Amino acid sequence: MEKIKITKSETSKSKPTTDQLEFGRVFTDHMFIMDYSTEKGWHDPRIIPYQPLTLDPASIIFHYGQTVFEGLKAYLTPDEKVKLFRPEKNMKRLNRSNDRLCIPAIDETLALEAITTLVGLDKDWVPSAEGTSLYIRPFVIATEPYLGVAPSQNYQFIIILSPVGAYYKEGINPVKIAVENKFVRAVSGGTGEAKTAGNYASSLKAQELVADKGYAQVLWLDGVEKKYVEEVGSMNVFFKIDGEVITPALNGSILEGVTRSSVIDLLKHWNYPVSERRISMEEVFEAAKNGKLEEAFGSGTAAVISPIGELSWHGKNIEVNGGRTGKVAKQLYTTLTGIQTGKQADPFNWTINIE
Amino acid sequence: MEKIKITKSETSKSKPTTDQLEFGRVFTDHMFIMDYSTEKGWHDPRIIPYQPLTLDPASIIFHYGQTVFEGLKAYLTPDEKVKLFRPEKNMKRLNRSNDRLCIPAIDETLALEAITTLVGLDKDWVPSAEGTSLYIRPFVIATEPYLGVAPSQNYQFIIILSPVGAYYKEGINPVKIAVENKFVRAVSGGTGEAKTAGNYASSLKAQELVADKGYAQVLWLDGVEKKYVEEVGSMNVFFKIDGEVITPALNGSILEGVTRSSVIDLLKHWNYPVSERRISMEEVFEAAKNGKLEEAFGSGTAAVISPIGELSWHGKNIEVNGGRTGKVAKQLYTTLTGIQTGKQADPFNWTINIE
């Protein structure tokens, strides 16, 4: 494994105060970068001062979107240690995404060392207030200047860091979600289970249209029958119906969320009945009508757990749990953030400490 | 309309000889660029020496693929004039793509003036040999440094030029096409009818897998039933069955090709029966079995007309017209390239001359 070269920044940028923290607007002093060429493979891993990228305008990333990314967070513990939450799962998913996008695999051990080294160097940027963290964004871009539609011969793997506050302005308060009946995020055989730019580009329009009506996110249905629940915005989604917690099964078009997997593990640990299966909006609607829809919430790295207070579907409004955060959502949020920040025991060994 | 400022390059790069011409590997001396901000709108249109872009690594283009592009060509006529082919259709489609991707509309007159000014300045780069042209690539990228999933507040509209030879090494000779039964390019409600990066990123894997087996491209089926023909690789597709020319109707997931539209107009002009309708692979297969599949070909700016000599579908090989280029495909290719290069009359006023 090639050693990571470090060039330190000569100055340090000013850090945002807690009340200035937004999501993904401010970046730390350093970044990681590594190059790929067909001749050399992945090479020259290095940490350099945060700086612009210089790319030929014909680079494949600008035209054919050959790119993947990951998202994870570093958390400050009460005794000022820095923790990562299940980062090895992100590195595995990064390579699954790479495979779907014809991008050469990255050594997961090196990628994780890149993250820990970079976060260690910018440790002072990890914010300490409740609900804040240092967001870590690894991504790969295709850099060959070529306009033919073909996998690139050159790539860059880059990691940037951003101190962040809550993803939704609502925080752990319930959000309103509109079920999307026209636009489709992804379909089986497409790129829905990869973390790649096109899935997000595709979602902007639907999101913009519902935002005008006061909804925080859309709930995506399957692209074939537009009946079955897929995801919420950029999160996985869970429903608690008559005591059972249900989340859509991984079907090829749904992203395999690290938080989703952790939620399932925690619920099983707590002996809740959990199902990964197909669930239709009709079923959710019927459950609500019969008073059996007890909770609904999204899960994701950015928002952790985001309770859903209201769903709009074909002109019908489905109120969930009287518009309040449910018990399971609250318990999951408290436990997950507790484990992530070292305020609770970590029975699953999900976190690692950064030296 | 803001005036385009021109900064000329002090040197001129060496131009490729005819036999060195590939597709999209070499770029001319200049590029066009224009900025967008929410405060100023689109502003500062300028032509500058071809140079790298300098972008913050958090720019939305690198993460969420908010980007669109176009492709058209400039052709040299026998009397050394430079022509464009229906560029106003590309500009209209650019704005339809912009709308789908939540990118602010671009003044089509200004965009066209940018193209004609840039091509005029780099006129010496338009190659003259048969089958060559100057490929024009306008594209828009989201440049705001922000990791939230939301439309960007900043963009750049860029135009680059590349002298090109034939897109396929086969030229006008028939290509082998594999019908894709697993991967899906696009689905109605997605971004299939927009010219945006994600559609192409999504196609790389299928393309790579069939290339290993000797196929030039895949034929995409609909994402819902995987029964109906959509496109071929990055081209629209036509079948001639029992005297009738059939192309899939624009259904929301198919790109509305400028060449597609021109092919339909020419066929009607020649009094061929033409249908834009749904066509299943079963129908194509049955027609072939009954000796009624007379031709199949793709249409697109890059390849103009690309005859299909063989289709592979579920392990069955469908030979088209004995693997030879059909009469209609040849007539279309000759007429389209004739009009484009000013070697034939232009009864539809499809071309414009660049001063």
Side-chain angles (χ1 to χ4, degrees), chain B residues 197-217:
Chain B
N199 299 337
Y200 298 81
S202 161
S203 78
L204 295 171
K205 185 81 176 178
Q207 175 67 34
E208 187 177 71
L209 293 173
V210 303
D212 290 347
K213 297 181 196 149
Y215 295 97
Q217 295 267 307

Side-chain angles (χ1 to χ4, degrees), chain A residues 43-316:
Chain A
H43 65 278
D44 197 12
R46 58 202 187 273
I47 288 172
I48 56 174
Y50 189 92
Q51 61 191 264
L53 303 175
T54 300
L55 292 168
D56 193 290
S59 297
I60 288 176
I61 175 65
F62 297 130
H63 304 272
Y64 307 128
Q66 197 191 7
T67 177
V68 300
F69 72 90
E70 270 303 325
L72 64 164
K73 284 173 169 176
Y75 308 86
L76 201 66
T77 67
D79 56 349
E80 308 255 306
K81 286 199 164 46
V82 177
K83 275 182 180 293
L84 297 177
F85 183 75
R86 311 187 82 180
E88 70 289 349
K89 282 185 88 73
N90 295 90
M91 298 305 100
K92 280 206 173 68
R93 188 172 62 184
L94 177 70
N95 274 335
R96 287 200 305 274
S97 299
N98 278 337
D99 180 68
R100 180 63 183 84
L101 274 296
C102 302
I103 296 173
I106 293 170
D107 180 333
E108 292 169 22
T109 309
L110 173 62
L112 188 50
E113 186 174 310
I115 290 173
T116 55
T117 310
L118 182 63
V119 172
L121 192 64
D122 281 345
K123 181 175 184 292
D124 291 349
W125 284 84
V126 188
S128 57
E130 175 84 33
T132 67
S133 58
L134 185 71
Y135 185 79
I136 303 164
R137 169 56 59 90
F139 62 108
V140 183
I141 54 173
T143 56
E144 187 191 5
Y146 177 45
L147 297 185
V149 180
S152 182
Q153 313 252 356
N154 299 92
Y155 301 88
Q156 289 193 314
F157 173 50
I158 299 164
I159 306 171
I160 56 176
L161 308 175
S162 172
V164 298
Y167 188 80
Y168 296 115
K169 59 179 186 338
E170 292 90 345
I172 177 72
N173 294 317
V175 292
K176 287 186 182 189
I177 300 286
V179 179
E180 178 58 49
N181 293 302
K182 182 181 168 204
F183 294 106
V184 170
R185 176 186 169 273
V187 70
S188 180
T191 54
E193 63 184 349
K195 221 164 161 65
T196 184
N199 299 336
Y200 298 81
S202 163
S203 78
L204 294 172
K205 184 81 177 178
Q207 175 66 33
E208 187 177 69
L209 293 172
V210 303
D212 290 346
K213 298 180 196 147
Y215 296 96
Q217 295 268 308
V218 299
L219 182 146
W220 300 106
L221 300 180
D222 74 285
V224 173
E225 299 183 65
K226 291 181 186 160
K227 271 181 166 178
Y228 300 99
V229 173
E230 297 247 318
E231 306 189 16
V232 167
S234 45
M235 301 184 291
N236 295 113
V237 64
F238 291 79
F239 299 95
K240 182 159 173 271
I241 295 177
D242 202 15
E244 182 190 24
V245 185
I246 304 153
T247 192
L250 301 174
N251 60 357
S253 56
I254 293 175
L255 191 79
E256 188 176 342
V258 176
T259 313
R260 174 186 182 278
S261 153
S262 310
V263 163
I264 293 171
D265 289 351
L266 277 174
L267 290 171
K268 287 182 177 167
H269 184 65
W270 294 333
N271 292 317
Y272 282 101
V274 190
S275 295
E276 296 178 66
R277 65 166 169 89
R278 214 154 76 147
I279 175 167
S280 69
M281 265 313 294
E282 191 63 42
E283 182 180 347
V284 174
F285 180 71
E286 285 299 315
K289 213 171 66 180
N290 302 327
K292 294 188 169 174
L293 177 62
E294 296 153 0
E295 295 193 35
F297 55 87
S299 74
T301 293
V304 191
I305 297 293
S306 183
I308 297 169
E310 187 183 314
L311 281 160
S312 153
W313 179 54
H314 282 312
K316 299 183 270 260

Side-chain angles (χ1 to χ4, degrees), chain A residues 50 53 55-56 64 184 189, chain B residues 25 50 53 55-56 137 184 189:
Chain A
Y50 189 92
L53 303 175
L55 292 168
D56 193 290
Y64 307 128
V184 170
Chain B
R25 291 215 181 265
Y50 189 92
L53 304 174
L55 293 167
D56 194 290
R137 170 56 59 91
V184 171

Side-chain angles (χ1 to χ4, degrees), chain A residues 15-35:
Chain A
K15 296 176 183 68
T17 58
T18 299
D19 62 330
Q20 288 170 335
L21 283 175
E22 292 183 63
F23 184 86
R25 290 215 182 265
V26 168
F27 300 90
T28 67
D29 290 324
H30 298 89
M31 62 196 277
F32 172 86
I33 191 162
M34 177 164 68
D35 301 314

Side-chain angles (χ1 to χ4, degrees), chain B residues 160-174:
Chain B
I160 56 176
L161 308 175
S162 172
V164 298
Y167 187 80
Y168 296 115
K169 62 177 185 334
E170 292 89 345
I172 176 71
N173 294 318

Side-chain angles (χ1 to χ4, degrees), chain B residues 85-86 88-90 93 96 235-238 247-248 250 254-269 274 276 297-301 304-305 332 336 348 350:
Chain B
F85 183 75
R86 312 186 83 180
E88 70 289 350
K89 282 185 88 74
N90 295 92
R93 187 172 63 186
R96 289 200 303 275
M235 301 185 291
N236 294 113
V237 65
F238 292 79
T247 192
L250 301 174
I254 292 175
L255 191 78
E256 187 176 344
V258 176
T259 312
R260 174 186 183 278
S261 153
S262 310
V263 164
I264 293 170
D265 290 350
L266 278 174
L267 291 171
K268 286 183 178 166
H269 184 64
V274 190
E276 297 179 66
F297 55 88
S299 74
T301 293
V304 191
I305 298 293
L332 284 165
L336 282 168
F348 305 99
W350 278 341

